[in-house]
Amino acid sequence: MVISTEGLSFNFGSQQVVKSLSLQVPEGSIYGFLGPNGAGKTTTIKLLLNLLKTDQGSIHIFNKELQSNRISILSEIGSLIEQPAIYLHLSGRENLINRALLLQVPEKRVDEMLDLVHLTDAANKKAGKYSLGMKQRLGIALALLSDPKLLILDEPTNGLDPNGIIEIRELLIRLVTQHKKTVFVSSHLLAEVERMATHVGIIHKGEMLFQGSIKDLETISQPQVQVELDSTVDAANLLKKQGFLVTDVNDDHLSLPFTSKEQMGEINSLLNKNEYTVYSIRKVHKDLEKLFLDITQKA
Amino acid sequence: MGFWSAVLLPLLICLLLFIGFFSHSEKIAKLPGPMVWLQFAGAILAVMGSLLLPMLIIFIAYSVNNIEHKSETWKSLFSLPIAKWSIYSAKYFYALFLVLLCLTLFVLFTIGFGNFLSVLKPELKFNEYHIEKLLTQIYFKLFLASLGILSIQFLLSLLFRDFLKPMGIGFVATIAGIIMANLGWGYAYLFPYAHAMLTVKSLKPSNIANGPAVPQITVELFTKDIFVSLAVAVAVFILGYFIVLKKSVK
């Protein structure tokens, strides 16, 4: 495990913002840390970076205890927290050079990073004049500058346009698959995480509601039978009379919980016998967006 | 910003003074050499002790910390593999360097403009007396006297994001310090914000009553207010480090 926490808790005054969190981030994963705004994502990240002092519980990164190995652990981490922290009176390149001096990284890395995040053309422009997306990309370049093993990114696609989001996503996937990095990325957008993460943790009001691989998440979502046909309402009434549970009816399809393949066939023949034309009938996983809402609303 | 203020402030003030002396040279021409120098340097020193130096320190301490507050870079600085001690002390010593730089420039510009005046207006007897050593001693003492305030203001600016809190506290304390020093209150030497004023006040020549005779000024470097200033500087600096260590980075 690259990151492993146990019973991690944190209070802001009397309000507990992180509750007994046990994170398990395996090496080589893109770990999507999902949760609505205010769920405690940024607080957790600050705890992982030792910016906030842990009230209870323990944090191990690279199998080393965080408090007592702060500097050696931080030297392997690149991070981006909330809005990127850059000096607005300096140019993009100067920001990177400044950081390279602090980290004793060769200056040649600066140009590589500028190239990587497509800021070479704007390198000499004041960072204060950058668009939000450019600032975000500069922030990512700063995080990657020291070539860290673990990247911790807090909402890295915030404020980016669709192209920018795709670029970042591809960059992160490339870092993990080609350069054997581990990425811990927080987001409030499930669709975002779904497209790149290999592992997911869902946090709500400071509590971990789900943690596992993205496949585990798909399997806990209950599959549904979706039937596409005309006059869905009449068909739904017919199925209900026959003792089926119809969970959703709309203009072009109706849904029932999936129990078995045989049952799917039964539904199909029943509808056919009663002269409903079934355009399609298929098993679908509940979409993760809905699952996410279900999980977070239950809590 | 802090850097340029530390350079421009002495330049502007000495330049203004230069213009003042240049345009009123006939009045001053009657004075003997030492008095011309003392008038020239003393005009700056008088404000220096009361408001200028404390305000300059408040501003430098603020600007060194504000750059990180403004760019939200504290959190990224403290998540780098650098000891908190290094970040804190590097910041502090940069502020210290700026104060030293500014005071050094005051000495250099005072002497430089003085000599320049004596070239332009030989009737001013600038060349009759050499103030370099005395002036250096005075400014060095002022530097030592400013360390206590610097540590306090540095910590305040580190803790508070906005300008008003460190500025307000510093301003009120400076006024209080001036009043204490001017009233000659016995315990004024314990109050860091009074140290600059006390330093300047201690320069009053003993034989000023004798009119245009050459006044004798000696600088006693290590007086008890300087010791207090140094002690406060060290104590607050260390205290500040422990606060930084404990503090959560927002």
Side-chain angles (χ1 to χ4, degrees), chain B residues 116-184:
Chain B
F116 188 44
L117 267 176
S118 96
V119 173
L120 291 180
K121 301 248 170 180
E123 69 270 23
L124 296 177
K125 302 174 191 79
F126 273 108
N127 52 350
E128 280 181 8
Y129 182 72
H130 283 280
I131 199 173
E132 286 85 348
K133 186 160 173 255
L134 179 68
L135 206 59
T136 311
Q137 280 177 332
I138 294 173
Y139 276 97
F140 186 64
K141 189 172 178 184
L142 276 174
F143 173 65
L144 296 180
S146 66
L147 295 180
I149 320 177
L150 182 66
S151 277
I152 296 171
Q153 286 298 327
F154 183 81
L155 187 58
L156 288 176
S157 298
L158 186 86
L159 297 180
F160 299 120
R161 274 190 82 88
D162 59 331
F163 184 53
L164 284 177
K165 285 190 195 101
M167 168 75 187
I169 295 169
F171 191 73
V172 171
T174 303
I175 303 291
I178 294 168
I179 295 170
M180 280 182 202
N182 279 336
L183 288 178

Side-chain angles (χ1 to χ4, degrees), chain A residues 119-162:
Chain A
L119 281 177
T120 310
D121 292 337
N124 296 317
K125 207 164 114 175
K126 287 238 187 302
K129 298 222 161 75
Y130 279 12
S131 69
L132 191 57
M134 290 161 91
K135 285 182 190 161
Q136 202 76 15
R137 279 173 8 226
L138 182 59
I140 290 173
L142 284 164
L144 284 169
L145 190 64
S146 64
D147 197 22
K149 277 198 247 167
L150 168 64
L151 263 180
I152 296 183
L153 307 172
D154 190 10
E155 310 252 358
T157 52
N158 235 356
L160 295 187
D161 54 13

Side-chain angles (χ1 to χ4, degrees), chain A residues 62-105:
Chain A
F62 306 118
N63 299 317
K64 285 185 281 189
E65 205 279 316
L66 179 63
Q67 294 277 359
S68 45
N69 299 287
R70 178 176 170 268
I71 291 182
S72 75
I73 288 174
L74 288 180
S75 65
E76 300 284 3
I77 300 181
S79 62
L80 171 67
I81 316 159
E82 293 172 315
Q83 66 274 56
I86 46 187
Y87 297 109
L88 300 177
H89 63 291
L90 298 178
S91 72
R93 170 175 277 117
E94 285 165 339
N95 265 289
L96 283 161
I97 288 176
N98 170 44
R99 181 68 61 87
L101 284 170
L102 279 175
L103 295 174
Q104 294 167 322
V105 170

Side-chain angles (χ1 to χ4, degrees), chain A residues 12 46 49-53 70-71 74-75 79 81-89 99 102-103, chain B residues 67-68 70-84 87 245-250:
Chain A
F12 273 128
K46 286 185 173 171
L49 292 168
N50 199 234
L51 291 174
L52 297 175
K53 289 270 177 281
R70 178 176 170 268
I71 291 182
L74 288 180
S75 65
S79 62
I81 316 159
E82 293 172 315
Q83 66 274 56
I86 46 187
Y87 297 109
L88 300 177
H89 63 291
R99 181 68 61 87
L102 279 175
L103 295 174
Chain B
I67 190 166
E68 310 298 344
K70 203 176 60 190
S71 335
E72 306 271 349
T73 34
W74 282 121
K75 57 180 192 233
S76 66
L77 276 181
F78 282 115
S79 59
L80 295 177
I82 297 173
K84 289 183 179 179
I87 297 170
L245 214 55
K246 284 264 178 295
K247 196 181 168 247
S248 295
V249 183
K250 297 264 160 52

Side-chain angles (χ1 to χ4, degrees), chain B residues 3 34 39 42 75 86 94 98 105 148 152 154 163 175 189 209 248:
Chain B
F3 179 79
Q39 282 236 339
K75 57 180 192 233
S86 314
Y94 183 61
L98 288 181
L105 288 176
I152 296 171
F154 183 81
F163 184 53
I175 303 291
Y189 71 92
S248 295

